[in-house]
Amino acid sequence: MDATAQTTRILFEQFSPWAINLFYAFGYAAIACFLYGCYVQVRKYRRGQPDASWGQLAARFGDMARTMLTHRTLKRRDHAAGAAHAMIFFSFIALFVGTATITLEVDILKPLFGITFWKGGFYLLFSLVLDLAGLGLIGGLLYMMYRRKWMALPKLDYTRPDRQPGDPDYDRSAYRREDWAFLWTLILIGITGYVLEASRLVWLSGDAGVWDSRFWSPVGALLAHSLMGLGLDASGAGTLRGGLWWFHGLLALSFIALIPFTKVKHIFTASASLMFRDPLAGRRLPKVPETQEAAGYEAITDLTWKNLLHLDACTKCGRCHEACPARTVGTPLSPRDVILSLREFANHALSASSLPDKAELSIHGKGPGQVFMETLWSCRTCLACVEICPVAVEHVPIIVQMRRKLVEEGEMEPILQKTLQTIHKTGNSFGESKRKRGAWTKGLPFPVKDARKEPVETLWFVGDYAAFDPRNQKVTQAFARLLHTAGEDFGLLLDGELNAGNDVRRVGEEGLYEHLASSNIATLEGCEFKRIVTTDPHSFNTIRNEYPEFADPALRGLFQIEHYSTVLLKLIQSGRLTLKKRLSHRVTFHDPCHLGRFNKGYDAPRELLALIGCTLVEMPRNRDNSFCCGAGGGRIWIPDPVGMEKPAQNRMKEAAGLPDIDVFVVACPKDLTMFEDALKTTPGCEGRFVVRELIELIAECVEAADPAPAAPAEAPALA
Amino acid sequence: MKILVAVKQVAALDEDFEIRADGLDVDEDFLLFDLNEWDDYSLEEAMKIKEASNGDVEVVVVSIGPERVDESLRKCLAKGADRALRVWDDAIEGSDSSVMARLLAAVVRKEAPDMVFAGVQSSDHAFAATGIGLAGELGWPHAAVVNALDYAPGARQATLKRELEGGVSQSVTLQCPAVLTIQLGINTPRYASLRGIKQANAKPIDVLGLDDLGVPATTVGVDASLSRVRRMYIPPKGRAQMIEGSPDQQAARLVEIIREFKGA
């Protein structure tokens, strides 16, 4: 039918030319305002330092598009919010593409080439899709409103743990108002869109070309019927449509104009932030360039453009606020607030046409937008915030950069200063003589090779806690016995080993880290070995992810390092270690930050637990959501405030909430120290279960007496 | 306006050390060297004066010792000292604090500072003599064990507190230039970051020999010293003993020991 083929919507129907011109004037003004806002934002980013993240743009773009299309990061730990966002997101895209299609025909193709395509079947399908998209938009927005108003989610409470009531930036009610303004604006655009459509249908109900195809806009048609039922006639609908048209149009144009100035800009900043995500953020901290005199961030202009972009990407979703162990126990740190503070600071200081004086750019201090020293020192660099951020904000590298400045200034706990000096002097955090690093081997019934003197298959980097802490030495000895039993050819660096530096670097003592890393690298380069093994996830992380940057490029292959969990798993699976006994414990497992979140080593420890017969009962916070023991980022060297719950105690309570657990299994020397201590000091937990290292459980199974009565107790060592 | 801070690199014993073959000192292989703890405080005191001034105060650190001492001097430079001097000649080996005082006096004459700080004592040899000996060589006013100082750069006088035995403090005013030996706790020493220490590599450490100071070789070394080490040794173990056994047995043994000790 020819009539259907010509079906379309007449734009500006019955508008006088001056009204159309007026609308175009508003449109251009909105676009100008939008472009100016973009310019101001880009100028702000360009006031940051350079960053080398421009490589592999196509791959980065693909990664970003995948993340956005799947909404993977938004659905994590809050599926409903992610789903509602997806409804808004995809509806918004549909509506935007729809509007852009009309512009394409009316403002470009038709005037220039005389081409029209927005008609007939395409037009009808277009009407249907956009009509449904409006429904998605409004539905998603309604859920978001419900969530804000009635769910009372703690993560959406913007009050700050590091400020007092009465401080100018304590409650951040402006953010709440902005959130509501955003939701209301969008939902009003959606609702007025429908009413507009319905009133147009009623107004033109006499025109068969319009009226007969009304159910291609089902929501609009139903609304039109309702309005007619309420007594709206064609002329009344015409009047309603006239007023509503301007309201809807101006609201939508204002929305576009305000994008760069409001949270709406996350449409662009969050996408860009995802695009420039660093997969190693926090796992590999930024090097200080050799030519750069001062280390760390002092002024807002010391941040890179990428940092500044990340600040703008934050949508205050509160996932990091919820995950942060320091915030959970009540220290004055919320990763969200560090990001928001710096963002407020950047918007204030870097948005003007000229830069303020250097003195006004310092981000350290007690003023609005500045970050407290106590806040920075509360961080355990556990990466819970970076890992969960749906828009790839990288909090920890910024915090460490700011700490570097504090270290340069000596703004830290005296006890931390002492520890750093001790590490510099003795090479370990225990202040022990270098000669004593191998003392734990004296308790072994076999000699251990010095990897500096003879070639070995496996070079074992022991780490400070495993080497010097008396409780951990027992675990270290057990691992040595396991390697020996399996016939593994292994050796140590003995007094040639220094603290690996992982935590020194996370404290922000970059100079000391450079010293430790380069000394260890030089020692490693002088040894002959096939792979490195460690029982310490902290050493594991820095050797695996950070040492290669400090080594001769030709020797980067040297840093093939494995955590003991994968080593033992292979030894058992290949039959080189025999389990002579199975344990029937009900256990829970604590993922060490540096093994799990940092390096995705979630599975090997769990497989080992299954192999030795343990029943694993997961804690509510497990794997990527594992809750830091509180020792990371150098906090093991700084006593936690008295009278405040420690993160490890919080974790003990979580484990105590599981039914009938026998053993709380850890796979990190620092975890063993932290949790054995916390178990004793957490009311109601002692006696409920014990803390054991996974190595100890495996050794118990491997070293059990042979079932055959005549067999010797100890398995004979392989050569 | 110049403040001279005399510092020393001291030795700490490593685990399981051995005495040198000549029996006069610990084998250097078993020593860990670091800046004397007191010197952290005297340097900090000088830095505080420098930072409170309008920038015309120069802080110069001086030490006597072989090349390894440069590491400690760099730490001082990292903390903000302007220059460092190191005095050395092999002939100085074995000198006692009287010779050190003589050498430092020569440095003071050369540098002409307005104030000289030293630590109360060094943590390894603990003579507490070098600073005061230096004042004696120079014939300058001096105060030992200073735990509070009120001194404006270039002032003719300084007012200070000295820590005496038994919790008594003495408040003293003395004429400048003067030599003060600084006590622990007078301030909070700053942290020298490793990057700071590395960057201090760029600052100069001037090495001065005996000729530079106009000190004849005959006036330094063991022979020119007022004291010499005869022997260094580990004294025989004390009489502490662990009492084993059940609480009853331990108590009985303890009573026995007390009786023995009283000669009952």
PDB file of all heavy atoms in Angstrom, chain A residues 40-70:
ATOM      1  N   VAL A  40      36.735  22.741  28.301  1.00  0.00           N
ATOM      2  CA  VAL A  40      37.228  23.018  29.661  1.00  0.00           C
ATOM      3  C   VAL A  40      37.736  21.736  30.317  1.00  0.00           C
ATOM      4  O   VAL A  40      38.778  21.721  30.972  1.00  0.00           O
ATOM      5  CB  VAL A  40      36.110  23.669  30.513  1.00  0.00           C
ATOM      6  CG1 VAL A  40      36.518  23.747  31.971  1.00  0.00           C
ATOM      7  CG2 VAL A  40      35.774  25.050  29.973  1.00  0.00           C
ATOM      8  N   GLN A  41      36.998  20.642  30.101  1.00  0.00           N
ATOM      9  CA  GLN A  41      37.425  19.368  30.705  1.00  0.00           C
ATOM     10  C   GLN A  41      38.753  18.912  30.105  1.00  0.00           C
ATOM     11  O   GLN A  41      39.664  18.521  30.824  1.00  0.00           O
ATOM     12  CB  GLN A  41      36.367  18.278  30.484  1.00  0.00           C
ATOM     13  CG  GLN A  41      35.014  18.566  31.098  1.00  0.00           C
ATOM     14  CD  GLN A  41      35.088  18.836  32.585  1.00  0.00           C
ATOM     15  OE1 GLN A  41      35.799  18.157  33.323  1.00  0.00           O
ATOM     16  NE2 GLN A  41      34.384  19.856  33.038  1.00  0.00           N
ATOM     17  N   VAL A  42      38.835  18.972  28.796  1.00  0.00           N
ATOM     18  CA  VAL A  42      40.065  18.504  28.147  1.00  0.00           C
ATOM     19  C   VAL A  42      41.244  19.383  28.567  1.00  0.00           C
ATOM     20  O   VAL A  42      42.347  18.891  28.826  1.00  0.00           O
ATOM     21  CB  VAL A  42      39.890  18.476  26.615  1.00  0.00           C
ATOM     22  CG1 VAL A  42      41.216  18.216  25.921  1.00  0.00           C
ATOM     23  CG2 VAL A  42      38.872  17.399  26.240  1.00  0.00           C
ATOM     24  N   ARG A  43      40.992  20.676  28.684  1.00  0.00           N
ATOM     25  CA  ARG A  43      42.056  21.576  29.144  1.00  0.00           C
ATOM     26  C   ARG A  43      42.511  21.170  30.550  1.00  0.00           C
ATOM     27  O   ARG A  43      43.698  21.185  30.859  1.00  0.00           O
ATOM     28  CB  ARG A  43      41.541  23.017  29.140  1.00  0.00           C
ATOM     29  CG  ARG A  43      42.606  24.037  29.504  1.00  0.00           C
ATOM     30  CD  ARG A  43      42.070  25.446  29.440  1.00  0.00           C
ATOM     31  NE  ARG A  43      41.003  25.654  30.404  1.00  0.00           N
ATOM     32  CZ  ARG A  43      40.238  26.747  30.453  1.00  0.00           C
ATOM     33  NH1 ARG A  43      40.407  27.708  29.554  1.00  0.00           N
ATOM     34  NH2 ARG A  43      39.290  26.875  31.345  1.00  0.00           N
ATOM     35  N   LYS A  44      41.546  20.791  31.342  1.00  0.00           N
ATOM     36  CA  LYS A  44      41.882  20.340  32.707  1.00  0.00           C
ATOM     37  C   LYS A  44      42.795  19.113  32.654  1.00  0.00           C
ATOM     38  O   LYS A  44      43.824  19.078  33.324  1.00  0.00           O
ATOM     39  CB  LYS A  44      40.584  20.007  33.459  1.00  0.00           C
ATOM     40  CG  LYS A  44      40.776  19.512  34.871  1.00  0.00           C
ATOM     41  CD  LYS A  44      39.444  19.335  35.588  1.00  0.00           C
ATOM     42  CE  LYS A  44      38.745  18.065  35.131  1.00  0.00           C
ATOM     43  NZ  LYS A  44      37.431  17.882  35.765  1.00  0.00           N
ATOM     44  N   TYR A  45      42.433  18.131  31.832  1.00  0.00           N
ATOM     45  CA  TYR A  45      43.263  16.921  31.755  1.00  0.00           C
ATOM     46  C   TYR A  45      44.653  17.247  31.221  1.00  0.00           C
ATOM     47  O   TYR A  45      45.645  16.681  31.654  1.00  0.00           O
ATOM     48  CB  TYR A  45      42.607  15.848  30.869  1.00  0.00           C
ATOM     49  CG  TYR A  45      41.205  15.492  31.289  1.00  0.00           C
ATOM     50  CD1 TYR A  45      40.204  15.255  30.354  1.00  0.00           C
ATOM     51  CD2 TYR A  45      40.875  15.412  32.642  1.00  0.00           C
ATOM     52  CE1 TYR A  45      38.912  14.941  30.743  1.00  0.00           C
ATOM     53  CE2 TYR A  45      39.579  15.105  33.035  1.00  0.00           C
ATOM     54  CZ  TYR A  45      38.603  14.879  32.083  1.00  0.00           C
ATOM     55  OH  TYR A  45      37.336  14.581  32.485  1.00  0.00           O
ATOM     56  N   ARG A  46      44.687  18.180  30.281  1.00  0.00           N
ATOM     57  CA  ARG A  46      45.986  18.506  29.681  1.00  0.00           C
ATOM     58  C   ARG A  46      46.905  19.230  30.641  1.00  0.00           C
ATOM     59  O   ARG A  46      48.095  19.369  30.384  1.00  0.00           O
ATOM     60  CB  ARG A  46      45.791  19.309  28.396  1.00  0.00           C
ATOM     61  CG  ARG A  46      45.213  18.462  27.263  1.00  0.00           C
ATOM     62  CD  ARG A  46      44.933  19.308  26.052  1.00  0.00           C
ATOM     63  NE  ARG A  46      46.134  19.994  25.598  1.00  0.00           N
ATOM     64  CZ  ARG A  46      46.985  19.498  24.714  1.00  0.00           C
ATOM     65  NH1 ARG A  46      46.771  18.321  24.204  1.00  0.00           N
ATOM     66  NH2 ARG A  46      48.049  20.184  24.353  1.00  0.00           N
ATOM     67  N   ARG A  47      46.343  19.672  31.760  1.00  0.00           N
ATOM     68  CA  ARG A  47      47.201  20.302  32.763  1.00  0.00           C
ATOM     69  C   ARG A  47      47.880  19.261  33.658  1.00  0.00           C
ATOM     70  O   ARG A  47      48.664  19.595  34.526  1.00  0.00           O
ATOM     71  CB  ARG A  47      46.379  21.283  33.600  1.00  0.00           C
ATOM     72  CG  ARG A  47      46.113  22.560  32.823  1.00  0.00           C
ATOM     73  CD  ARG A  47      45.160  23.494  33.514  1.00  0.00           C
ATOM     74  NE  ARG A  47      45.110  24.753  32.773  1.00  0.00           N
ATOM     75  CZ  ARG A  47      44.197  25.688  32.955  1.00  0.00           C
ATOM     76  NH1 ARG A  47      43.263  25.518  33.859  1.00  0.00           N
ATOM     77  NH2 ARG A  47      44.230  26.795  32.254  1.00  0.00           N
ATOM     78  N   GLY A  48      47.534  18.002  33.450  1.00  0.00           N
ATOM     79  CA  GLY A  48      48.206  16.926  34.172  1.00  0.00           C
ATOM     80  C   GLY A  48      49.488  16.522  33.459  1.00  0.00           C
ATOM     81  O   GLY A  48      49.806  17.033  32.378  1.00  0.00           O
ATOM     82  N   GLN A  49      50.203  15.599  34.071  1.00  0.00           N
ATOM     83  CA  GLN A  49      51.468  15.133  33.512  1.00  0.00           C
ATOM     84  C   GLN A  49      51.193  14.136  32.376  1.00  0.00           C
ATOM     85  O   GLN A  49      50.115  13.560  32.300  1.00  0.00           O
ATOM     86  CB  GLN A  49      52.293  14.438  34.599  1.00  0.00           C
ATOM     87  CG  GLN A  49      52.634  15.338  35.762  1.00  0.00           C
ATOM     88  CD  GLN A  49      53.491  16.502  35.333  1.00  0.00           C
ATOM     89  OE1 GLN A  49      54.467  16.321  34.604  1.00  0.00           O
ATOM     90  NE2 GLN A  49      53.131  17.710  35.753  1.00  0.00           N
ATOM     91  N   PRO A  50      52.184  13.925  31.525  1.00  0.00           N
ATOM     92  CA  PRO A  50      51.995  12.934  30.452  1.00  0.00           C
ATOM     93  C   PRO A  50      51.872  11.514  31.013  1.00  0.00           C
ATOM     94  O   PRO A  50      52.309  11.239  32.119  1.00  0.00           O
ATOM     95  CB  PRO A  50      53.256  13.074  29.602  1.00  0.00           C
ATOM     96  CG  PRO A  50      54.222  13.846  30.410  1.00  0.00           C
ATOM     97  CD  PRO A  50      53.466  14.601  31.441  1.00  0.00           C
ATOM     98  N   ASP A  51      51.251  10.652  30.243  1.00  0.00           N
ATOM     99  CA  ASP A  51      51.148   9.253  30.621  1.00  0.00           C
ATOM    100  C   ASP A  51      51.275   8.444  29.344  1.00  0.00           C
ATOM    101  O   ASP A  51      50.798   8.862  28.287  1.00  0.00           O
ATOM    102  CB  ASP A  51      49.788   8.978  31.276  1.00  0.00           C
ATOM    103  CG  ASP A  51      49.654   7.540  31.734  1.00  0.00           C
ATOM    104  OD1 ASP A  51      49.437   6.645  30.895  1.00  0.00           O
ATOM    105  OD2 ASP A  51      49.777   7.329  32.944  1.00  0.00           O
ATOM    106  N   ALA A  52      51.907   7.309  29.458  1.00  0.00           N
ATOM    107  CA  ALA A  52      52.235   6.550  28.248  1.00  0.00           C
ATOM    108  C   ALA A  52      51.168   5.542  27.853  1.00  0.00           C
ATOM    109  O   ALA A  52      51.455   4.545  27.218  1.00  0.00           O
ATOM    110  CB  ALA A  52      53.574   5.850  28.446  1.00  0.00           C
ATOM    111  N   SER A  53      49.895   5.805  28.217  1.00  0.00           N
ATOM    112  CA  SER A  53      48.857   4.802  27.954  1.00  0.00           C
ATOM    113  C   SER A  53      48.247   4.876  26.561  1.00  0.00           C
ATOM    114  O   SER A  53      47.171   4.338  26.343  1.00  0.00           O
ATOM    115  CB  SER A  53      47.732   4.939  28.979  1.00  0.00           C
ATOM    116  OG  SER A  53      48.219   4.645  30.247  1.00  0.00           O
ATOM    117  N   TRP A  54      48.890   5.539  25.625  1.00  0.00           N
ATOM    118  CA  TRP A  54      48.249   5.701  24.317  1.00  0.00           C
ATOM    119  C   TRP A  54      48.413   4.507  23.391  1.00  0.00           C
ATOM    120  O   TRP A  54      47.793   4.453  22.344  1.00  0.00           O
ATOM    121  CB  TRP A  54      48.792   6.954  23.619  1.00  0.00           C
ATOM    122  CG  TRP A  54      48.127   8.194  24.108  1.00  0.00           C
ATOM    123  CD1 TRP A  54      48.659   9.138  24.919  1.00  0.00           C
ATOM    124  CD2 TRP A  54      46.782   8.619  23.828  1.00  0.00           C
ATOM    125  NE1 TRP A  54      47.737  10.122  25.169  1.00  0.00           N
ATOM    126  CE2 TRP A  54      46.586   9.838  24.514  1.00  0.00           C
ATOM    127  CE3 TRP A  54      45.735   8.093  23.074  1.00  0.00           C
ATOM    128  CZ2 TRP A  54      45.380  10.531  24.470  1.00  0.00           C
ATOM    129  CZ3 TRP A  54      44.536   8.787  23.027  1.00  0.00           C
ATOM    130  CH2 TRP A  54      44.364   9.997  23.723  1.00  0.00           C
ATOM    131  N   GLY A  55      49.239   3.545  23.777  1.00  0.00           N
ATOM    132  CA  GLY A  55      49.484   2.415  22.876  1.00  0.00           C
ATOM    133  C   GLY A  55      48.262   1.515  22.709  1.00  0.00           C
ATOM    134  O   GLY A  55      47.312   1.580  23.489  1.00  0.00           O
ATOM    135  N   GLN A  56      48.271   0.693  21.709  1.00  0.00           N
ATOM    136  CA  GLN A  56      47.254  -0.343  21.472  1.00  0.00           C
ATOM    137  C   GLN A  56      45.828   0.194  21.579  1.00  0.00           C
ATOM    138  O   GLN A  56      45.001  -0.368  22.282  1.00  0.00           O
ATOM    139  CB  GLN A  56      47.449  -1.481  22.459  1.00  0.00           C
ATOM    140  CG  GLN A  56      48.785  -2.145  22.289  1.00  0.00           C
ATOM    141  CD  GLN A  56      49.164  -2.935  23.515  1.00  0.00           C
ATOM    142  OE1 GLN A  56      48.939  -2.496  24.646  1.00  0.00           O
ATOM    143  NE2 GLN A  56      49.740  -4.086  23.317  1.00  0.00           N
ATOM    144  N   LEU A  57      45.578   1.274  20.891  1.00  0.00           N
ATOM    145  CA  LEU A  57      44.270   1.904  21.027  1.00  0.00           C
ATOM    146  C   LEU A  57      43.130   0.996  20.581  1.00  0.00           C
ATOM    147  O   LEU A  57      42.081   0.958  21.205  1.00  0.00           O
ATOM    148  CB  LEU A  57      44.230   3.208  20.231  1.00  0.00           C
ATOM    149  CG  LEU A  57      44.829   4.413  20.957  1.00  0.00           C
ATOM    150  CD1 LEU A  57      44.541   5.686  20.199  1.00  0.00           C
ATOM    151  CD2 LEU A  57      44.282   4.523  22.381  1.00  0.00           C
ATOM    152  N   ALA A  58      43.367   0.233  19.513  1.00  0.00           N
ATOM    153  CA  ALA A  58      42.292  -0.629  18.999  1.00  0.00           C
ATOM    154  C   ALA A  58      41.929  -1.689  20.035  1.00  0.00           C
ATOM    155  O   ALA A  58      40.753  -1.925  20.323  1.00  0.00           O
ATOM    156  CB  ALA A  58      42.730  -1.276  17.696  1.00  0.00           C
ATOM    157  N   ALA A  59      42.956  -2.303  20.621  1.00  0.00           N
ATOM    158  CA  ALA A  59      42.703  -3.330  21.632  1.00  0.00           C
ATOM    159  C   ALA A  59      42.006  -2.718  22.839  1.00  0.00           C
ATOM    160  O   ALA A  59      41.068  -3.292  23.399  1.00  0.00           O
ATOM    161  CB  ALA A  59      44.019  -3.980  22.046  1.00  0.00           C
ATOM    162  N   ARG A  60      42.473  -1.541  23.209  1.00  0.00           N
ATOM    163  CA  ARG A  60      41.858  -0.865  24.353  1.00  0.00           C
ATOM    164  C   ARG A  60      40.391  -0.555  24.064  1.00  0.00           C
ATOM    165  O   ARG A  60      39.533  -0.725  24.912  1.00  0.00           O
ATOM    166  CB  ARG A  60      42.587   0.455  24.626  1.00  0.00           C
ATOM    167  CG  ARG A  60      43.922   0.288  25.279  1.00  0.00           C
ATOM    168  CD  ARG A  60      44.590   1.647  25.465  1.00  0.00           C
ATOM    169  NE  ARG A  60      45.867   1.477  26.097  1.00  0.00           N
ATOM    170  CZ  ARG A  60      46.017   1.292  27.399  1.00  0.00           C
ATOM    171  NH1 ARG A  60      44.977   1.299  28.191  1.00  0.00           N
ATOM    172  NH2 ARG A  60      47.203   1.106  27.923  1.00  0.00           N
ATOM    173  N   PHE A  61      40.131  -0.106  22.842  1.00  0.00           N
ATOM    174  CA  PHE A  61      38.765   0.246  22.491  1.00  0.00           C
ATOM    175  C   PHE A  61      37.875  -0.995  22.528  1.00  0.00           C
ATOM    176  O   PHE A  61      36.768  -0.963  23.055  1.00  0.00           O
ATOM    177  CB  PHE A  61      38.716   0.909  21.110  1.00  0.00           C
ATOM    178  CG  PHE A  61      37.349   1.415  20.766  1.00  0.00           C
ATOM    179  CD1 PHE A  61      36.939   2.663  21.207  1.00  0.00           C
ATOM    180  CD2 PHE A  61      36.464   0.629  20.038  1.00  0.00           C
ATOM    181  CE1 PHE A  61      35.661   3.123  20.911  1.00  0.00           C
ATOM    182  CE2 PHE A  61      35.194   1.078  19.737  1.00  0.00           C
ATOM    183  CZ  PHE A  61      34.792   2.328  20.182  1.00  0.00           C
ATOM    184  N   GLY A  62      38.408  -2.093  22.004  1.00  0.00           N
ATOM    185  CA  GLY A  62      37.644  -3.339  21.997  1.00  0.00           C
ATOM    186  C   GLY A  62      37.312  -3.781  23.404  1.00  0.00           C
ATOM    187  O   GLY A  62      36.187  -4.185  23.712  1.00  0.00           O
ATOM    188  N   ASP A  63      38.295  -3.654  24.270  1.00  0.00           N
ATOM    189  CA  ASP A  63      38.118  -4.047  25.661  1.00  0.00           C
ATOM    190  C   ASP A  63      37.043  -3.192  26.321  1.00  0.00           C
ATOM    191  O   ASP A  63      36.172  -3.684  27.034  1.00  0.00           O
ATOM    192  CB  ASP A  63      39.469  -3.880  26.369  1.00  0.00           C
ATOM    193  CG  ASP A  63      39.489  -4.609  27.690  1.00  0.00           C
ATOM    194  OD1 ASP A  63      38.973  -5.735  27.727  1.00  0.00           O
ATOM    195  OD2 ASP A  63      39.997  -4.036  28.671  1.00  0.00           O
ATOM    196  N   MET A  64      37.122  -1.900  26.054  1.00  0.00           N
ATOM    197  CA  MET A  64      36.134  -0.977  26.613  1.00  0.00           C
ATOM    198  C   MET A  64      34.732  -1.319  26.101  1.00  0.00           C
ATOM    199  O   MET A  64      33.776  -1.397  26.877  1.00  0.00           O
ATOM    200  CB  MET A  64      36.495   0.451  26.212  1.00  0.00           C
ATOM    201  CG  MET A  64      35.436   1.462  26.574  1.00  0.00           C
ATOM    202  SD  MET A  64      35.631   3.001  25.644  1.00  0.00           S
ATOM    203  CE  MET A  64      34.861   2.553  24.105  1.00  0.00           C
ATOM    204  N   ALA A  65      34.627  -1.548  24.799  1.00  0.00           N
ATOM    205  CA  ALA A  65      33.316  -1.823  24.209  1.00  0.00           C
ATOM    206  C   ALA A  65      32.734  -3.105  24.806  1.00  0.00           C
ATOM    207  O   ALA A  65      31.548  -3.164  25.138  1.00  0.00           O
ATOM    208  CB  ALA A  65      33.446  -1.949  22.697  1.00  0.00           C
ATOM    209  N   ARG A  66      33.579  -4.108  24.966  1.00  0.00           N
ATOM    210  CA  ARG A  66      33.103  -5.374  25.558  1.00  0.00           C
ATOM    211  C   ARG A  66      32.583  -5.129  26.981  1.00  0.00           C
ATOM    212  O   ARG A  66      31.516  -5.597  27.348  1.00  0.00           O
ATOM    213  CB  ARG A  66      34.258  -6.384  25.617  1.00  0.00           C
ATOM    214  CG  ARG A  66      34.099  -7.549  24.630  1.00  0.00           C
ATOM    215  CD  ARG A  66      35.087  -8.664  24.895  1.00  0.00           C
ATOM    216  NE  ARG A  66      36.458  -8.213  25.069  1.00  0.00           N
ATOM    217  CZ  ARG A  66      37.265  -7.833  24.071  1.00  0.00           C
ATOM    218  NH1 ARG A  66      36.828  -7.850  22.828  1.00  0.00           N
ATOM    219  NH2 ARG A  66      38.502  -7.454  24.303  1.00  0.00           N
ATOM    220  N   THR A  67      33.369  -4.399  27.759  1.00  0.00           N
ATOM    221  CA  THR A  67      32.956  -4.142  29.143  1.00  0.00           C
ATOM    222  C   THR A  67      31.626  -3.400  29.175  1.00  0.00           C
ATOM    223  O   THR A  67      30.741  -3.709  29.968  1.00  0.00           O
ATOM    224  CB  THR A  67      34.026  -3.298  29.855  1.00  0.00           C
ATOM    225  OG1 THR A  67      35.287  -3.939  29.690  1.00  0.00           O
ATOM    226  CG2 THR A  67      33.723  -3.159  31.329  1.00  0.00           C
ATOM    227  N   MET A  68      31.467  -2.435  28.270  1.00  0.00           N
ATOM    228  CA  MET A  68      30.250  -1.641  28.287  1.00  0.00           C
ATOM    229  C   MET A  68      29.053  -2.429  27.784  1.00  0.00           C
ATOM    230  O   MET A  68      27.962  -2.345  28.333  1.00  0.00           O
ATOM    231  CB  MET A  68      30.450  -0.361  27.487  1.00  0.00           C
ATOM    232  CG  MET A  68      31.223   0.680  28.300  1.00  0.00           C
ATOM    233  SD  MET A  68      31.903   2.016  27.313  1.00  0.00           S
ATOM    234  CE  MET A  68      30.451   2.729  26.653  1.00  0.00           C
ATOM    235  N   LEU A  69      29.270  -3.215  26.743  1.00  0.00           N
ATOM    236  CA  LEU A  69      28.141  -3.949  26.177  1.00  0.00           C
ATOM    237  C   LEU A  69      27.667  -5.059  27.115  1.00  0.00           C
ATOM    238  O   LEU A  69      26.475  -5.359  27.182  1.00  0.00           O
ATOM    239  CB  LEU A  69      28.507  -4.527  24.808  1.00  0.00           C
ATOM    240  CG  LEU A  69      28.685  -3.455  23.727  1.00  0.00           C
ATOM    241  CD1 LEU A  69      29.124  -4.074  22.409  1.00  0.00           C
ATOM    242  CD2 LEU A  69      27.383  -2.664  23.528  1.00  0.00           C
ATOM    243  N   THR A  70      28.603  -5.683  27.822  1.00  0.00           N
ATOM    244  CA  THR A  70      28.189  -6.752  28.732  1.00  0.00           C
ATOM    245  C   THR A  70      27.761  -6.197  30.087  1.00  0.00           C
ATOM    246  O   THR A  70      27.128  -6.895  30.862  1.00  0.00           O
ATOM    247  CB  THR A  70      29.345  -7.739  28.977  1.00  0.00           C
ATOM    248  OG1 THR A  70      30.458  -6.994  29.467  1.00  0.00           O
ATOM    249  CG2 THR A  70      29.731  -8.474  27.715  1.00  0.00           C
TER     250      THR A  70
END
